[in-house]
Amino acid sequence: QVQLQESGPGLVKPSQTLSLTCTVSGGSISRGSYYWSWIRQPAGKGLEWIGRIYSTGTTNYNSSLKSRVTISVDTSKNQFSLKLSSVTAADTAVYYCMREGISSGGDLEDVWGQGTTVTVSS
Amino acid sequence: DIQMTQSPSSLSASVGDRVTIACRASQGISNYLAWYQQKQGKVPKLLIYAASTLQSGVPSRFSGSGSGTDFTLTINSLQPEDVATYYCQKYNSAPRAFGQGTKVEIK
């Protein structure tokens, strides 16, 4: 059973770069037709899809964040990462990593991490 | 990018009521639509995918319908444990946008 776990600093200063890592266990990040994605949720607000990466390195980003976001993958460590630059208080949120997948039979095979809270404050 | 719009943003209903939540895509997405339930402080839980397929373990009082641009989540006989925020999400292609959520409360 694949599991995902986010890690990284819980506090980031304004204008700096937020960096998070998602460690995948119970399965190889480079096997199967899965995308590895990041989603965030400010307190009391809705879910926002940030972007995703395929094991080959192909990425897709939310157009509203594209200029500040980089998602990368390290298959040797079975991890993928999020970098969000020039952060402001508006980037304060719970950040989730997720495996996106659809089986050949059409079943949705999404798996979520538990989420990690990141606060942007000086 | 395709936008997902949910309505209403919140609702209050009595135990045993039938509750309906709508989700509209700004362009057709076939049936690539999922519904999530998120309880306070918890990770979103997948309820329905492919617009109408119930995820394993989800109570049968939940159902989904629709295709193209208009979709519906129905809770038949609302229960106290259904208090949560519900989100639709498209997954036909990136970006996998979410609706803004519908908060369901008990009257």
Side-chain angles (χ1 to χ4, degrees), chain A residues 39 41 45-49 52 60-63 96 98-102 106-108 110 112-115, chain B residues 1 32 34 36 38 41-44 46 48-50 53 55 87 89 91 93-100:
Chain A
I39 292 155
Q41 184 173 37
K45 296 189 177 181
L47 299 163
E48 180 178 33
W49 187 88
R52 68 184 187 183
N60 303 109
Y61 297 130
N62 186 325
S63 56
Y96 296 98
M98 180 182 171
R99 185 192 79 175
E100 298 180 4
I102 304 174
D107 294 335
L108 199 58
D110 291 355
W112 293 63
Q114 288 302 303
Chain B
D1 294 347
Y32 292 96
Y36 284 91
Q38 187 180 33
K42 301 296 185 182
V43 178
L46 179 65
I48 287 168
Y49 63 92
T53 302
Q55 175 73 342
Y87 295 92
Q89 185 196 30
Y91 61 93
S93 64
R96 290 182 65 175
F98 291 92
Q100 76 273 27

Side-chain angles (χ1 to χ4, degrees), chain B residues 16-39:
Chain B
D17 281 354
R18 182 181 187 187
V19 167
T20 299
I21 299 169
C23 177
R24 173 166 288 180
S26 60
Q27 297 176 41
I29 57 170
S30 185
N31 68 335
Y32 292 96
L33 192 282
W35 289 97
Y36 284 91
Q37 176 194 64
Q38 187 180 33
K39 296 184 178 180

Side-chain angles (χ1 to χ4, degrees), chain B residues 13-85:
Chain B
S14 299
V15 172
D17 281 354
R18 182 181 187 187
V19 167
T20 299
I21 299 169
C23 177
R24 173 166 288 180
S26 60
Q27 297 176 41
I29 57 170
S30 185
N31 68 335
Y32 292 96
L33 192 282
W35 289 97
Y36 284 91
Q37 176 194 64
Q38 187 180 33
K39 296 184 178 180
Q40 186 67 32
K42 301 296 185 182
V43 178
K45 173 187 174 183
L46 179 65
L47 296 178
I48 287 168
Y49 63 92
S52 61
T53 302
L54 203 64
Q55 175 73 342
S56 177
V58 173
S60 59
R61 63 180 179 274
F62 291 92
S63 64
S65 64
S67 183
T69 60
D70 292 296
F71 303 88
T72 300
L73 172 70
T74 299
I75 309 173
N76 281 301
S77 188
L78 185 70
Q79 298 300 303
E81 59 265 34
D82 300 334
V83 168
T85 301

Side-chain angles (χ1 to χ4, degrees), chain A residues 73-88:
Chain A
V73 64
D74 187 336
T75 55
S76 67
K77 294 182 178 179
N78 227 33
Q79 295 175 334
F80 62 106
S81 299
L82 168 71
K83 291 188 185 300
L84 181 66
S85 64
S86 305
V87 297
T88 69

